[in-house]
Amino acid sequence: MAGDMMKAVRFHGQKDIRLEDIEVPKCGQGQVKHRTAELTAVDLNEYMGGANLIPTTPHPITKEQIPLTLGHEFSGVIEEVGDDVTDVQVGQRVSVQPIIYDGTCGACRDGLINCCDNNGFVGLSALIEPLAVAWHSVKISPLKKGDKVLVLGGGPIGLAVIQCLKAKGAETIIASEVAPRRKDFAKEFGANHVLDPTKDDIVARVREICGDVGADVAFDAAGVQSGLNQALKAIRAQGTLVNIAVWEKPAQLQMNDLVFRERKYVGVTTYVAGDFKEVLDAIASGTLQPEPMITGVIKMDEVKEKGFRALIEEKDKNVKILVKTSKQSM
């Protein structure tokens, strides 16, 4: 006999999402059940190019596979706790650090749970998660206070990187973005210069701004080949390009741009233990103020039309569209 049912937005494949009735999950040993009291973010990457992160075969740890419930970023209030849960209680507000890891592979034994051989995600916390990604990226980079930095892309991650760079003491922040509204956001969040790659010679302008030597560090939050090519040439000798973007297609590196200038190319993924708390502390202190990144709030039955379609067809107007999943009024 079926238990209580709930509505869920489910991913079935590329550009195939459905609002369906599913059974309310039971709270098992060591687990926590929460009701979403805030908002859940729309995951555009999976919709457009997936499945990329959503497993199409049983996940080695969770055994889950498509169709799966979307909800890439969430926070809420604890409704029930399972056996052996002692560090949280019913009624507490929580954000979720969602990395799934096996705890036994070489990366996990080194404390790098974000690099687990069998990693996955449960779901992520709205605004906290992109900031944690950006925070980790800036921490892992060789950024020093007073550095000059280039950021490719003015989406949620790029804007989060700009905020974190400002918090960490970057002297000059240069953003490269096409969409006018996102250019405005980049300025609001701390970019000193905002360039348009369709109009500006990014390499020449960055070198000009940086005293003819180039940026000390660059962050790629766009994942576009032309941007990668520009960034490699725009960083100084022995400068570093940090890739945050998840690429939908294979990218090419012009190796001589690295070799003859002793530049470095570094990949980063998600975040590690401690990053969430550091971000929460930075928000609490006012060092990070990400709320203006939310440009829309919609209902669950509006996800396809007012969520994904808006982000695809009206990218210029939107940064982060959130989905209200609780019964609270909009």
Side-chain angles (χ1 to χ4, degrees), residues 43-98:
D43 191 346
L44 182 63
N45 286 341
E46 289 298 288
Y47 178 73
M48 289 297 293
N52 294 316
L53 300 177
I54 294 176
T56 56
T57 58
H59 188 274
I61 298 175
T62 67
K63 311 305 179 188
E64 298 281 354
Q65 66 184 96
I66 58 172
L68 282 179
T69 301
L70 286 176
H72 180 65
E73 304 172 0
F74 61 84
S75 58
V77 176
I78 294 177
E79 191 172 65
E80 183 181 352
V81 297
D83 294 339
D84 299 332
V85 176
T86 59
D87 54 345
V88 294
Q89 60 189 6
V90 173
Q92 272 190 289
R93 293 182 178 274
V94 294
S95 61
V96 178
Q97 180 167 316

Side-chain angles (χ1 to χ4, degrees), residues 220-232:
D220 186 356
V224 178
Q225 183 66 56
S226 58
L228 171 60
N229 295 344
Q230 292 166 347
L232 281 177

